[in-house]
Amino acid sequence: MNSSRGSFASQLGVVLASAGSAVGLGNIWRFPMEVGRGGGAAFILIYLGFIFLMAMPVMLSEFVIGRAAHSNAIGAFQKLSPGKPWIAAGIMGVLGGFLVLSFYSVVAGWTLHYTVASALGQLQGQGPVVDGQSTMDFGQAFNSFVSNPWQPLIYVALFMLLTHLVVARGIQHGIERYSKLMMPMLLVIIAFQVCFSLTMPGAAEGIRFLLQPDLNKVTSEVVLGAMGQAFFSLSVGIGCLITYSSYFSKETRLVKSAMNVCIIDTLVAVLSGFIIFPTVFSVGIAPDAGSGLVFITLPNVFLLAFSKMPVVGYLFSLLFYLLLLLAALTSSISMHEICTAFISEHFSASRRKAAAIVTLVCLVLGCFCSLSFGPWRDVTFCGRGFFDLFDFTVTKFLMPLGGFMMTLFVGWYLDRRLVESELTNAGSISVRMMRPLLFLVRWVAPVGILVIFINELFPLFMKS
Ligand code: PFF
């Protein structure tokens, strides 16, 4: 192993950093939104199927590739299959890393703004009084904020700086240390928020919505959305976990770590549903409010809670946005690391220099994405602004295609003995589910991804 490379110091660090990458805006912002649209529990059941049958095998494949090669996403394919076209999966991964961090930091920047606004009590600012309660037009406030040419850019830059500061410190002193700090905080905040939201009057209806499957709402689009959500949520398909697992030690148990990450990620997503829906239902707002759920609907809920119990309302809103911010940060550092690891290893640059390059490039691209909600609204490619274009390219194209190639690479190309040796730590532990796991990697995941990818992509291209 290349001794100048960093490595995670403990098994806890491995799981918390990988779970930190997985748990992000995807769980707390995007998952409830998709559940709201996709018929509650029906969507959750389909999603669980995709997590364990398709996304988890991709995660395991990335772990095998990364730990076997001890290299960045592109270098790993160069080492394990020199001169072969498999390297395309690594190149797509690094490209995906730049794109995903750029659009992600826009929503993370909004989150930072809402965290500051909650802390300053601005979300409880006075609007007209209706039925004896103060109100604010949060829809208008949100729209005027995101379309402002400057304000959101400042928050994008601040968030990118936070990400940069963690990544520049390296694996143990940066990523591992801050994941170990932030993930427990995040889990404590979630537990607090769930307890609070379950005690809201009328919360039962929200719980029923989450737990009762409404099969009528399940369309093919919902099924396709569930796969995209599963991949995005587990951070698979763009080499993020190849990069992280290249820092695993030879004692790290790959199957167990992958299972733990899948369970933590799913738990956080479902618990976010338990935070959001009971509160939303308790104030009688429609649950399918789309992307505005977190930035428009919830502030209304917080305002209502605030007018009845000021301290609880204040704490609830502040902790919620803090939770979202921590989740975004543990994910953004993993996106940044895909690119930083590649640049520092491939060009033999120092980590600080490599991290600075990635931060600058993503900052510029992030500004493009942010401006696509405001002054650059009309700058479109195939009908999509920068934000939508990057989101589409990563989640609909690079992630499924990358996941498809990685499972084929591990399932069919790599020497079976190498794969088994990685999964069993050179024969020192037994993996009871070896055969079914390999079956998922060789057949279920690639065939499933291919079928869905073709189904999803063709109609989209026909439309645009
Ligand atoms: N899994 C993250 C989330 O759910 O927000 C998003 C993500 C992280 C995607 C890292 C891709 C990635 F490489």
Side-chain angles (χ1 to χ4, degrees):
M1 174 161 118
N2 180 352
S3 59
S4 67
R5 298 189 88 240
S7 65
F8 289 117
S10 63
Q11 179 58 24
L12 184 67
V14 163
V15 172
L16 290 185
S18 311
S21 166
V23 171
L25 295 173
N27 300 60
I28 306 166
W29 174 62
R30 211 166 144 157
F31 181 81
M33 176 169 110
E34 301 263 349
V35 173
R37 285 200 200 117
F43 177 88
I44 297 181
L45 287 178
I46 300 168
Y47 172 80
L48 286 179
F50 282 125
I51 285 279
F52 288 97
L53 297 178
M54 282 161 63
M56 192 276 291
V58 179
M59 176 180 284
L60 213 50
S61 305
E62 291 204 37
F63 280 180
V64 167
I65 298 170
R67 206 209 9 210
H70 281 297
S71 189
N72 63 80
I74 294 181
F77 288 99
Q78 276 172 329
K79 260 193 196 168
L80 298 175
S81 58
K84 297 275 176 358
W86 293 107
I87 198 178
I91 296 173
M92 289 190 324
V94 173
L95 184 71
F98 279 106
L99 298 184
V100 75
L101 180 56
S102 305
F103 77 82
Y104 201 81
S105 61
V106 173
V107 183
W110 301 345
T111 307
L112 184 56
H113 167 70
Y114 274 70
T115 312
V116 174
S118 313
L120 298 178
Q122 286 167 355
L123 292 187
Q124 284 92 37
Q126 293 303 304
V129 174
V130 176
D131 293 338
Q133 270 158 4
S134 59
T135 60
M136 264 180 81
D137 189 345
F138 286 108
Q140 207 224 323
F142 175 71
N143 287 331
S144 78
F145 169 68
V146 301
S147 57
N148 183 297
W150 289 110
Q151 244 190 332
L153 299 191
I154 296 168
Y155 287 98
V156 171
L158 281 175
F159 181 79
M160 204 68 95
L161 185 66
L162 287 178
T163 308
H164 174 85
L165 290 177
V166 176
V167 175
R169 279 168 197 231
I171 306 305
Q172 271 178 32
H173 297 294
I175 296 177
E176 179 168 5
R177 183 162 154 216
Y178 286 95
S179 302
K180 277 183 170 169
L181 186 75
M182 291 191 282
M183 286 305 283
M185 274 165 69
L186 185 145
L187 295 174
V188 170
I189 298 179
I190 289 188
F192 171 82
Q193 301 279 80
V194 171
C195 294
F196 176 76
S197 104
L198 291 184
T199 53
M200 300 267 291
E205 208 179 322
I207 300 170
R208 206 170 306 127
F209 175 77
L210 261 180
L211 298 183
Q212 244 173 28
D214 178 0
L215 291 174
N216 293 331
K217 284 211 177 148
V218 178
T219 58
S220 62
E221 213 174 310
V222 167
V223 176
L224 301 177
M227 184 184 86
Q229 174 62 24
F231 273 51
F232 188 77
S233 190
L234 284 190
S235 319
V236 295
I238 56 168
C240 176
L241 298 173
I242 294 184
T243 312
Y244 265 21
S245 57
S246 72
Y247 307 124
F248 289 1
S249 77
K250 57 184 188 324
E251 281 82 36
T252 303
R253 295 171 175 232
L254 300 188
V255 177
K256 197 169 157 204
S257 306
M259 279 298 178
N260 283 337
V261 174
C262 290
I263 291 168
I264 296 175
D265 186 69
T266 307
L267 213 65
V268 172
V270 173
L271 287 180
S272 304
F274 276 106
I275 295 173
I276 290 177
F277 291 112
T279 37
V280 166
F281 272 92
S282 80
V283 295
I285 296 176
D288 56 351
S291 65
L293 193 58
V294 161
F295 295 110
I296 300 171
T297 310
L298 280 183
N300 277 305
V301 176
F302 298 145
L303 183 66
L304 216 67
F306 183 76
S307 62
K308 290 188 182 134
M309 301 168 282
V311 177
V312 178
Y314 176 81
L315 269 184
F316 191 60
S317 81
L318 177 58
L319 285 180
F320 181 81
Y321 289 111
L322 202 59
L323 164 71
L324 206 58
L325 187 64
L326 288 175
L329 196 55
T330 53
S331 295
S332 64
I333 56 181
S334 71
M335 301 167 184
H336 198 296
E337 182 59 25
I338 311 174
C339 312
T340 301
F342 166 69
I343 292 183
S344 88
E345 287 173 15
H346 191 80
F347 299 103
S348 306
S350 71
R351 164 166 278 273
R352 280 177 188 280
K353 208 186 235 171
I357 295 171
V358 176
T359 301
L360 282 178
V361 172
C362 290
L363 184 58
V364 173
L365 294 178
C367 290
F368 289 3
C369 291
S370 182
L371 290 169
S372 69
F373 289 94
W376 290 8
R377 194 173 290 125
D378 299 326
V379 183
T380 57
F381 307 86
C382 306
R384 294 186 168 84
F386 279 104
F387 184 98
D388 286 343
L389 183 73
F390 287 11
D391 182 356
F392 172 84
T393 310
V394 173
T395 55
K396 299 278 189 315
F397 190 71
L398 296 177
M399 283 184 151
L401 201 58
F404 174 70
M405 289 182 72
M406 288 167 197
T407 48
L408 286 187
F409 184 73
V410 170
W412 299 96
Y413 176 82
L414 276 188
D415 187 340
R416 180 78 172 250
R417 279 166 302 184
L418 172 70
V419 176
E420 291 194 0
S421 161
E422 283 301 332
L423 295 178
T424 61
N425 291 356
S428 64
I429 51 168
S430 66
V431 176
R432 262 181 292 152
M433 307 275 282
M434 181 68 88
R435 279 176 146 262
L437 281 175
L438 286 178
F439 182 73
L440 290 181
V441 170
R442 287 164 73 98
W443 291 102
V444 179
V447 172
I449 297 170
L450 194 66
V451 169
I452 291 180
F453 184 62
I454 291 172
N455 262 311
E456 183 168 27
L457 218 56
F458 277 105
L460 281 175
F461 274 128
M462 306 293 257
K463 255 188 243 166
S464 51

